Amino acid sequence: MTAYRIRPATAADAAIILRFIRELADYENALDEVAATEETVAASLFGEGSVSFAAICETEAGEPAGSAVWFKTYSTWQAKNGLYLEDLYVTPAHRGAGVGRMLLRHLARVAVAEDCARFEWSVLDWNEPAIRVYEAIGAEPKKEWVRYRLTGDRLKRFAEG
């Protein structure tokens, strides 16, 4: 059985994180939407003023097995920060070994240690393997909330508006 460890990601991990971003986007049939580069990943995650964080799960031999990228949110009702998981990715070779659960538990511990009111994430409705993992750890879908998004030209038009 392979042993794993989780460590904070650093700027030196930008290429690994970008590889995982691209592999996740490919899995989600959205590879053509990835505009990230190694440089933009390094700057946005590890540059001055970054509000995002990342962790790498790797084998004892140092082989990257997965990653998590997250940022803080805020709950006005709780008057506390929250933790939002933007991406959780496990390489195909390490799926089924508990890497995803390890990363989720790591972030749950971060959320508890930092007194966060909640730990949230989104999942595509067709991603049954991920949904099974989330339900197995006790997470519940928030079906009454519908997520909205402004991007690209629509965002710019509205901002200029």
Side-chain angles (χ1 to χ4, degrees):
M1 178 181 272
T2 303
Y4 298 95
R5 63 176 171 245
I6 296 174
R7 63 171 176 78
T10 68
D13 295 311
I16 293 166
I17 294 168
L18 178 60
R19 185 183 105 208
F20 288 169
I21 289 167
R22 294 183 60 77
E23 288 176 14
L24 178 59
D26 190 40
Y27 176 76
E28 294 179 353
N29 299 311
L31 185 56
D32 60 324
E33 296 178 37
V34 176
T37 66
E38 193 173 327
E39 293 75 23
T40 60
V41 168
S44 62
L45 282 176
F46 308 108
E48 187 176 330
S50 175
V51 296
S52 303
F53 309 90
I56 301 287
C57 182
E58 60 190 10
T59 66
E60 286 184 336
E63 176 190 353
S67 67
V69 176
W70 70 96
F71 57 89
K72 297 272 183 82
T73 60
Y74 185 74
S75 167
T76 54
W77 291 7
Q78 299 294 315
K80 289 185 173 188
N81 285 324
L83 189 150
Y84 189 88
L85 173 61
E86 177 65 20
D87 276 349
L88 176 74
Y89 181 72
V90 178
T91 62
H94 296 281
R95 290 182 189 151
V99 171
R101 182 182 279 256
M102 284 179 61
L103 285 162
L104 288 167
R105 180 164 283 126
H106 173 77
L107 292 182
R109 289 175 177 156
V110 170
V112 169
E114 296 182 5
D115 196 30
C116 291
R118 56 178 68 129
F119 172 24
E120 298 177 302
W121 59 92
S122 297
V123 62
L124 292 166
D125 60 3
W126 56 261
N127 192 345
E128 287 296 326
I131 291 168
R132 282 194 302 273
V133 169
Y134 302 151
E135 289 177 350
I137 66 169
E140 299 174 325
K142 298 296 288 179
K143 296 184 181 194
E144 67 274 17
W145 291 93
V146 177
R147 191 172 177 173
Y148 281 82
R149 177 181 292 172
L150 277 173
T151 61
D153 290 339
R154 288 182 181 162
L155 174 60
K156 290 175 186 171
R157 278 196 303 273
F158 181 71
E160 293 167 356

